[in-house]
């Protein structure tokens, strides 16, 4: 999803980083903003690629259009912009997007699944901040049995080298003679957290996939493919993080 072409002037001014939206509204009321050579009015909309917007006579320089991409990351790709070892990165999979994107959080080399990429730095920072407690759901396969004791440990908190993990939730448990499968819901994002939590209770992860971030799900998106977020999804993410849509 890219930002729609025609938007309210105060929103465009805020996106350019010159003022808050409320301050931009004051500038419009004060007559400091013109649209195609005419004094702008509250409620005016413009397309920055087609219309001439000036503040105090100076043309408005727009920031890069915002893009939001949901990727189903395959195993074997690192979640960085560049890799010193020359390995493939997730950015190799989204080369068609006309701006430089950055991953929101990380999935390690051997983990697949839902990864959000964007050039909206403010939203990315909010989504990763522990204060907002954004839900992440992982589908986990482990060698060994997830018994009630281990389940309680994972849900109540596991002592790792960087501290006690926050309460988690486990559901959709399935077992065979040698393996267990389950969904693990977290609200924090430490490095290799799922693998370390499982190792701490004596379970070795053999397959790991993130299937949900906040309300976003993979649905039928094939591994290695991506899609733009819908405008309604971006608005919902921004509301979730306390940002004005």
């Amino acid at each position: 999803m890219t930002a729609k072409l025609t938007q309210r002037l105060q929103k465009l001014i805020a996106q350019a980083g010159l003022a808050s939206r409320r301050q931009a509204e004051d500038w419009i009321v004060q007559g400091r903003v013109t649209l195609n050579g005419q004094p702008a009015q509250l409620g005016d909309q413009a397309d920055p690629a087609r219309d001439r917007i000036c503040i105090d006579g100076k043309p408005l320089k727009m920031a890069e259009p915002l893009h939001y991409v949901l990727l189903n990351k395959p195993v074997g790709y690192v979640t960085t912009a560049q890799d010193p070892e020359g390995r493939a990165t997730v950015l190799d999979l989204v080369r068609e997007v006309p701006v430089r994107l950055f991953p929101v959080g990380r999935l390690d080399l051997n983990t697949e699944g839902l990864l959000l990429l964007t050039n909206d730095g403010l939203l990315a920072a909010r989504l990763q901040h522990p204060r907002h407690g954004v839900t992440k759901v992982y589908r986990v396969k482990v060698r060994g049995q997830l018994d009630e004791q281990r389940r309680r440990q994972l849900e109540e908190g596991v002592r790792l080298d960087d501290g006690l993990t926050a309460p988690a939730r486990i559901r959709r448990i399935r077992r065979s003679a040698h393996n267990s499968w389950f969904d693990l819901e977290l609200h924090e994002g430490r490095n290799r957290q799922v693998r370390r939590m499982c190792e701490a209770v004596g379970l070795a992860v053999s397959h790991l996939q993130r299937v949900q971030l906040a309300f976003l799900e993979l649905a039928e998106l094939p591994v290695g493919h991506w899609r733009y977020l819908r405008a309604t999804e971006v608005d919902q993410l921004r509301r979730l993080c306390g940002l004005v849509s």
Side-chain angles (χ1 to χ4, degrees):
M1 178 263 180
T2 59
K4 65 180 182 178
L5 297 180
T6 302
Q7 301 181 71
R8 291 185 181 272
L9 285 177
Q10 58 265 39
K11 184 173 182 179
L12 292 171
I13 293 169
Q15 287 177 352
L18 297 181
S20 67
R21 201 172 299 191
R22 179 166 293 182
Q23 187 176 7
E25 291 174 352
D26 291 340
W27 289 357
I28 293 170
V29 171
Q30 294 163 9
R32 297 176 58 185
V33 182
T34 60
L35 176 60
N36 298 324
Q38 301 298 319
Q41 305 295 322
L42 282 178
D44 282 351
Q45 297 196 3
D47 175 357
R50 183 188 62 206
D51 297 309
R52 182 175 174 81
I53 306 164
C54 293
I55 301 171
D56 296 332
K58 297 180 180 179
L60 177 67
K61 293 182 179 180
M62 286 304 301
E64 193 173 59
L66 297 176
H67 288 64
Y68 306 85
V69 165
L70 189 155
L71 169 70
N72 189 347
K73 174 195 172 295
V75 169
Y77 286 77
V78 294
T79 312
T80 55
Q82 292 182 328
D83 182 62
E85 299 179 31
R87 295 172 296 184
T89 81
V90 291
L91 297 187
D92 295 328
L93 300 169
V94 293
R95 289 185 176 180
E96 299 94 335
V97 181
V99 298
R100 185 177 183 184
L101 301 176
F102 299 91
V104 179
R106 294 196 174 199
L107 295 178
D108 66 42
L109 183 71
N110 295 316
T111 300
E112 65 181 41
L114 193 157
L115 182 67
L116 184 64
L117 300 103
T118 184
N119 60 339
D120 186 340
L122 181 56
L123 179 62
R126 292 288 183 94
L127 286 171
Q128 295 176 85
H129 198 286
R131 180 178 69 232
H132 299 286
V134 176
T135 299
K136 306 171 188 71
V137 179
Y138 296 84
R139 192 144 295 159
V140 190
K141 178 184 177 183
V142 296
R143 292 186 290 274
Q145 293 299 315
L146 178 68
D147 54 27
E148 273 306 306
Q149 180 180 353
R150 286 167 168 160
R151 176 177 181 166
R152 282 198 305 272
Q153 284 181 275
L154 291 173
E155 291 190 324
E156 294 174 2
V158 178
R159 179 71 60 183
L160 302 178
D161 55 8
D162 52 356
L164 185 69
T165 62
R169 181 186 175 197
I170 290 178
R171 57 179 186 265
R172 294 169 55 98
I173 300 173
R174 183 164 60 91
R175 301 180 181 89
S176 70
H178 303 290
N179 300 289
S180 300
W181 294 260
F182 55 93
D183 284 1
L184 178 62
E185 180 181 311
L186 304 176
H187 297 275
E188 55 183 355
R190 305 187 198 185
N191 183 43
R192 299 183 68 255
Q193 181 171 349
V194 176
R195 295 181 188 276
R196 291 194 294 144
M197 287 175 67
C198 291
E199 289 167 4
V201 298
L203 298 171
V205 174
S206 57
H207 185 261
L208 184 59
Q209 177 192 34
R210 183 157 68 190
V211 295
Q212 185 176 338
L213 174 68
F215 57 87
L216 297 171
E217 298 181 344
L218 287 175
E220 301 302 317
L221 187 66
V223 175
H225 290 243
W226 62 271
R227 69 171 177 86
Y228 282 115
L229 293 192
R230 294 180 285 273
T232 53
E233 292 173 324
V234 175
D235 287 344
Q236 193 171 345
L237 283 177
R238 294 177 68 83
R239 287 197 300 274
L240 179 68
C241 294
L243 297 171
V244 178
S245 171

